[in-house]
Amino acid sequence: MQISFGPFAFDRQSRLLWRNGAEVALPPRVLGVLELLIERPGQVVARQDLLDGVWKDAFVTDTSLAEAVSYLRQALGDDPQSPRYIQTIHRRGYRFLAPVTRSDAVAQQASWTGQSK
């Protein structure tokens, strides 16, 4: 399953982010934050849900989440003052703003190589 938004594509199986066909290298936890946000576009994802989903049983503070979101925003070229992708909902969490398109990565890869399924 591949999820696309703007010039980006996120491959859930390989956990890789691409921008216009070039891989965007991100740490695993930052990718985890992205994955949880794009699973629920337009919805507020609570900070605690992100911490529980990405850091699981590790003890971390909200600072770890804020740093991961900041890193992700830099990678996406997003401005927290005028967000296109990630909006901060103060004291609650974050919301993914961009519309997402879900597609079958196998079918898309086949079309790139000129093969059919």
Side-chain angles (χ1 to χ4, degrees):
M1 171 70 68
Q2 190 170 41
I3 301 171
S4 302
F5 55 95
F8 297 96
F10 179 71
D11 185 329
R12 292 187 69 191
Q13 184 175 349
S14 64
R15 297 198 78 217
L16 294 174
L17 179 67
W18 304 87
R19 179 184 184 129
N20 295 324
E23 184 180 343
V24 178
L26 293 174
R29 296 200 196 261
V30 174
L31 286 168
V33 170
L34 174 63
E35 186 171 18
L36 287 175
L37 288 174
I38 61 178
E39 282 178 359
R40 296 164 47 187
Q43 298 178 28
V44 176
V45 181
R47 289 186 321 242
Q48 195 60 51
D49 289 348
L50 289 164
L51 290 169
D52 292 346
V54 175
W55 282 268
K56 307 224 184 314
D57 296 325
F59 178 76
V60 294
T61 64
D62 282 345
T63 303
S64 298
L65 175 57
E67 288 173 356
V69 170
S70 176
Y71 195 103
L72 181 56
R73 281 182 171 138
Q74 285 180 346
L76 299 176
D78 204 15
D79 178 2
Q81 302 306 317
S82 180
R84 292 178 299 157
Y85 298 109
I86 302 170
Q87 178 185 28
T88 301
I89 308 299
H90 293 288
R91 298 187 179 168
R92 292 180 54 205
Y94 299 92
R95 176 176 20 223
F96 195 79
L97 298 174
V100 300
T101 305
R102 299 173 194 282
S103 63
D104 181 358
V106 172
Q108 211 164 51
Q109 184 175 9
S111 71
W112 292 336
T113 60
Q115 302 170 356
S116 60
K117 283 170 65 170

